Amino acid sequence: MNHKAQFDLARKTIYWMIAGVIITAVVFSFAVVIAQYKNNLTKIPPELDAELIALRFVNLPECFAYLDSETNSLHPGVIDLAKFTNEQMLKCYRTDAQTGIKTLNFRMRLKGLNQEVATNYYFNQDDFTLFKEVLVKSSSESSDLVPDLLIIYVQEKI
Amino acid sequence: MIFEIIVVCIGIYITISIAHAYGSSLLTAKINSAEDIKMMINTLAAVPGDALVEYPKNVTEFSFILTPNSVSVFENEQTDQSPAVRAFFLPQGYTAEGSVIRISPICLEKKSKRIILEACPQQE
């Protein structure tokens, strides 16, 4: 083999070593881009998820909605202050130990009364906030309903 | 010269194969169905009283399994190794159950504290 042929062979070997690496990287990048595009197609806005979960807080007697024990009628949108506790929050929305920090967690505050409750894996990492206008029934003896603002701080996964 | 052409053709074939595999699969529809059912369950759980809601999409390609903590969507219930699974957390005392295999339309019904996944009742 003469010098020119040897030079050509060496040059092409080096070229294809580099080109092989680059082509492989391009193909992998292409697969990653498509996978990311697919993830974006299936992504649900966390605000929507949180809004749907937060519906239960003011609508269900198992959460904080006021249930008249005499007439057994439920009042959605009316917070029973006697239920506004962390223990009731655990009955309303409780995440498990394995996935608790990877899912939505909430801290709720009644602005006027300055009372707070939080879910079991809430760690003060607020990502966004929801607001709900509510009425608050402070005691079973009184029939007064006090308007208030329910501020819901939402923590996405940590 | 021929070697370079072969390499380029192989590269093009691989990238088109990857794109075709993602484009022709039902993976996105499967995941979207699981997310939709999860959101429907969270909404139903918040509805005081009983309710019945129909899932409007055609889901005859999929099978669904609903447990108290999650919904799983299978493309082929016997061979699908990677179902789309989405977890949810119901209030205390609430339960979710039901399964449907390649039926459309499907409905979610809330009866008291039970959420049931089933084929929609026939309309008369």
Side-chain angles (χ1 to χ4, degrees):
Chain A
M1 200 183 277
N2 60 23
H3 283 299
K4 188 174 185 305
Q6 283 178 342
F7 177 73
D8 278 344
L9 179 63
R11 187 182 63 167
K12 287 201 170 178
T13 302
I14 293 170
Y15 169 76
W16 279 112
M17 278 170 55
I18 297 171
V21 170
I22 292 174
I23 289 172
T24 305
V26 166
V27 170
F28 274 123
S29 302
F30 181 68
V32 167
V33 165
I34 289 189
Q36 283 181 341
Y37 175 70
K38 182 216 66 179
N39 286 338
N40 284 337
L41 283 180
T42 58
K43 188 174 168 59
I44 302 292
E47 291 83 358
L48 173 61
D49 228 353
E51 280 280 5
L52 296 180
I53 295 172
L55 285 175
R56 66 178 71 174
F57 297 144
V58 296
N59 285 336
L60 288 185
E62 289 82 6
C63 295
F64 308 109
Y66 173 63
L67 178 69
D68 191 328
S69 54
E70 290 177 4
T71 60
N72 210 32
S73 61
L74 177 66
H75 298 264
V78 180
I79 302 283
D80 186 346
L81 198 59
K83 289 184 191 176
F84 202 70
T85 61
N86 283 326
E87 290 75 28
Q88 190 70 18
M89 185 56 143
L90 286 180
K91 294 179 187 175
C92 175
Y93 182 81
R94 185 189 186 115
T95 54
D96 59 36
Q98 284 179 327
T99 58
I101 58 171
K102 298 177 189 173
T103 186
L104 296 176
N105 278 275
F106 302 89
R107 172 171 62 103
M108 298 201 298
R109 186 164 76 93
L110 285 169
K111 185 180 178 186
L113 297 167
N114 205 25
Q115 281 197 268
E116 269 188 16
V117 295
T119 55
N120 52 333
Y121 284 99
Y122 178 80
F123 295 116
N124 292 304
Q125 293 272 58
D126 300 333
D127 289 295
F128 56 90
T129 310
L130 306 175
F131 300 91
K132 289 189 184 296
E133 301 274 357
V134 295
L135 297 170
V136 179
K137 185 162 178 56
S138 53
S139 70
S140 55
E141 290 82 28
S142 166
S143 60
D144 291 343
L145 299 177
V146 179
D148 204 337
L149 182 67
L150 182 65
I151 305 172
I152 305 173
Y153 303 94
V154 185
Q155 171 190 290
E156 293 183 60
K157 65 178 178 181
I158 295 180
Chain B
M1 181 66 177
I2 292 178
F3 180 67
E4 283 86 345
I5 292 173
I6 291 172
V7 170
V8 167
C9 289
I10 290 173
I12 291 172
Y13 174 77
I14 291 173
T15 51
I16 290 178
S17 295
I18 292 170
H20 182 263
Y22 272 105
S24 62
S25 78
L26 294 173
L27 181 61
T28 302
K30 189 167 67 172
I31 293 173
N32 278 338
S33 293
E35 293 281 5
D36 287 345
I37 296 293
K38 183 190 96 170
M39 287 193 288
M40 287 170 68
I41 287 169
N42 278 328
T43 307
L44 264 185
V47 170
D50 297 349
L52 176 69
V53 59
E54 178 180 322
Y55 185 50
K57 285 185 187 174
N58 183 353
V59 289
T60 46
E61 305 99 345
F62 303 126
S63 301
F64 296 78
I65 295 177
L66 185 61
T67 67
N69 298 312
S70 67
V71 55
S72 304
V73 182
F74 297 81
E75 214 170 310
N76 182 327
E77 61 277 6
Q78 290 165 348
T79 61
D80 191 349
Q81 298 295 320
S82 56
V85 182
R86 290 296 179 268
F88 49 80
F89 303 98
L90 296 175
Q92 190 177 58
Y94 281 66
T95 187
E97 60 192 36
S99 62
V100 289
I101 300 177
R102 298 178 176 273
I103 293 173
S104 193
I106 60 173
C107 283
L108 281 167
E109 184 176 11
K110 184 185 177 194
K111 289 180 181 174
S112 183
K113 295 186 180 182
R114 284 176 68 212
I115 296 175
I116 306 162
L117 177 67
E118 58 191 8
C120 289
Q122 297 289 337
Q123 291 185 353
E124 295 174 9

